[in-house]
Amino acid sequence: MKHPTPPPWVLALEEEDLYFVRRFILASGSLKALAQTYGVSYPTVRSRLDRLIAKVEALEEASDGDPMQQLVRQLVAGGELNRDLARRLLRAHRESLETEEHT
């Protein structure tokens, strides 16, 4: 039996994120059980899940954009880049693309 190719957002997740998703599934989606497994508070696990949700959403949105947009959105979702700087980078990127089109 041939296995389907995972969606791009799954392939873009880091190993740590995939491990978290696996643990979440094995905990039957219980954040309380997951918090106990990790030895942290419920709000800590909730925050981690919220960041992961944002990352998956950004990866889904980024699949429509060019590689630069994808990278910037992934960095924002992963907390490695703040939104203000991301907007400035994407604006500069768009302007450089427009300049290239007119030359």
Side-chain angles (χ1 to χ4, degrees):
M1 178 169 92
K2 184 179 177 188
H3 295 285
T5 303
W9 66 266
V10 171
L11 298 174
L13 290 178
E14 297 172 17
E15 188 174 336
E16 177 183 323
D17 294 329
L18 292 171
Y19 183 75
F20 182 86
V21 170
R22 180 180 173 274
R23 300 289 298 256
F24 180 71
I25 292 167
L26 292 174
S28 299
S30 168
L31 294 181
K32 184 177 178 181
L34 196 56
Q36 290 175 341
T37 300
Y38 278 106
V40 297
S41 69
Y42 175 92
T44 300
V45 171
R46 180 73 238 185
S47 177
R48 171 70 197 274
L49 180 60
D50 289 342
R51 285 193 308 272
L52 185 56
I53 290 168
K55 185 182 280 190
V56 170
E57 288 173 343
L59 291 167
E60 284 282 296
E61 290 173 13
S63 64
D64 296 333
D66 68 41
M68 178 67 169
Q69 290 174 331
Q70 291 174 5
L71 175 60
V72 169
R73 288 182 177 139
Q74 288 172 5
L75 292 172
V76 169
E80 300 175 64
L81 183 65
N82 71 52
R83 291 182 186 277
D84 182 53
L85 184 53
R87 283 187 200 100
R88 291 171 44 202
L89 288 171
L90 289 175
R91 187 178 322 117
H93 177 63
R94 277 191 306 275
E95 289 170 1
S96 71
L97 290 176
E98 290 171 2
T99 301
E100 287 178 12
E101 288 177 0
H102 295 292
T103 57

